[in-house]
Amino acid sequence: EQDQSAPQSGFLLESLESGTSSGYQMSLANEQHLASKRANMSNLTLCLLKSVNYGGIYQIRRENYACLQELLGERNGLELPLGDCVPQYYPFLGEEGLREYLLQHRIYIPVLWRKCFDTSMDGWVEQRYSRQICCLPIDQRYGKEDMKYLAGLILEYLH
């Protein structure tokens, strides 16, 4: 069965016109929709993906990653080589509470491995990583000035 994306795509338009946070609840509903069914990619999705400049995305993400590494690398509790990959985030191992601080400044940081928050995992390295690794946004919507602003907020918090 071929999927139909138009009914679930409102969050994309809302995000473009009013900012990413305004379409967040609709985005969550879309994620639930996608998880609940198996279907072939819609024609709308195929057309959108064909219009993406993947080479440009590759370059911007790597530049943003390198910028954050230059500005925050000495303070990062992780040592991660970039290699030739296209990173989704810049993983920053900082102090607990940093994610909430960034959220106060309207910077959303996803929580990975949420199940590790369970108190039965107290003291486990997995819980520490889940709570303290901030996956900093580096995608193609951002540039060097955005990375400097983000790094500045983090350094302000760490002092």
Side-chain angles (χ1 to χ4, degrees):
E1 175 188 353
Q2 188 163 26
D3 199 10
Q4 300 293 313
S5 293
Q8 287 80 35
S9 298
F11 77 96
L12 293 171
L13 300 174
E14 179 70 29
S15 295
L16 285 172
E17 289 195 336
S18 303
T20 53
S21 60
S22 66
Y24 181 67
Q25 291 303 319
M26 289 191 293
S27 174
L28 293 177
N30 182 59
E31 290 296 323
Q32 288 180 344
H33 166 75
L34 291 173
S36 70
K37 65 185 275 187
R38 291 239 190 253
N40 290 318
M41 195 178 298
S42 73
N43 286 331
L44 173 61
T45 301
L46 284 170
C47 287
L48 289 172
L49 290 175
K50 286 179 184 179
S51 70
V52 172
N53 177 355
Y54 291 101
I57 290 171
Y58 172 89
Q59 188 65 31
I60 291 168
R61 286 179 178 236
R62 290 179 57 82
E63 287 171 4
N64 287 341
Y65 187 101
C67 183
L68 287 180
Q69 178 61 23
E70 181 181 322
L71 297 170
L72 297 172
E74 291 181 5
R75 302 295 303 268
N76 194 346
L78 299 172
E79 291 184 34
L80 299 171
L82 181 55
D84 63 352
C85 71
V86 182
Q88 183 175 6
Y89 301 104
Y90 177 81
F92 183 81
L93 178 58
E95 298 173 7
E96 202 161 333
L98 177 58
R99 180 181 288 112
E100 292 76 15
Y101 177 78
L102 293 173
L103 186 58
Q104 291 171 3
H105 290 84
R106 299 182 52 96
I107 298 172
Y108 172 73
I109 305 296
V111 175
L112 304 181
W113 319 297
R114 190 174 295 278
K115 65 183 174 186
C116 294
F117 274 54
D118 187 325
T119 56
S120 68
M121 298 184 78
D122 283 351
W124 290 27
V125 69
E126 292 88 343
Q127 186 182 63
R128 176 176 173 246
Y129 282 178
S130 179
R131 289 184 175 179
Q132 292 181 266
I133 291 178
C134 290
C135 298
L136 304 178
I138 58 166
D139 65 69
Q140 60 279 4
R141 297 173 294 169
Y142 307 108
K144 192 170 188 173
E145 292 306 312
D146 299 305
M147 298 301 103
K148 288 179 181 177
Y149 174 74
L150 178 57
L153 285 174
I154 291 168
L155 293 172
E156 179 182 293
Y157 178 81
L158 295 175
H159 282 109

